[in-house]
Amino acid sequence: GTGTYTRAFALGGVAGAGDRRIAPVAAALAGSATADVRLRVAAVRALARLRNPADLSPLLALVRDRATPPNLALEAVTALGAIGDGQAFETLLDLWTHPWAAMRAAAIAAVAKVNPAGFLLVVSSLAPDKDWSVRAALAKTLSTLPADQVRRAIEDLCDDADLRVRGPALEGGTGIEVLEPR
């Protein structure tokens, strides 16, 4: 069909079934500036569901292109995290200073998936983000990593001045044996 929703559901269904034959179609739609952005998002999500490093190129192109609609770029960042290939590390790392807090949070989560060791090294050297939602997302991301490697960072987030950060930090600290009060 030619309808946006019909094609979007088809992309999701075929990708959900794991059929790689949809990858070239999804990549072409994701990169098509003339396609409806909702269809482009569905195409990016299809590529994410396939989790194949061969699909990195169109996703990286979307993230790097400043003309990409912001929500589509955000989906591409999430897809890169889902694929989990280290080739996306540098591109994702560049987004840690993006002006949009949602993009910084998504990039943090994606970097932790594509290169956990590199993520821990970089995050340990950064000042806390100015936006509480990014710090809360960081707490959630840290909770996905080995507790012995993130204990101190989660403890710091448990002491955050903003209560909206403390909740996710405390939830992230549930896998840590003891969070010492300071």
Side-chain angles (χ1 to χ4, degrees), residues 131-141 157 164-166 168-169:
D131 190 283
W132 72 269
S133 65
V134 177
R135 296 190 311 274
L138 173 61
K140 289 178 184 176
T141 298
L157 290 166
R164 296 172 291 187
V165 176
R166 291 183 188 175

Side-chain angles (χ1 to χ4, degrees), residues 23-39:
V25 173
L29 283 170
S32 173
T34 59
D36 186 299
V37 73
R38 295 169 295 184
L39 184 58

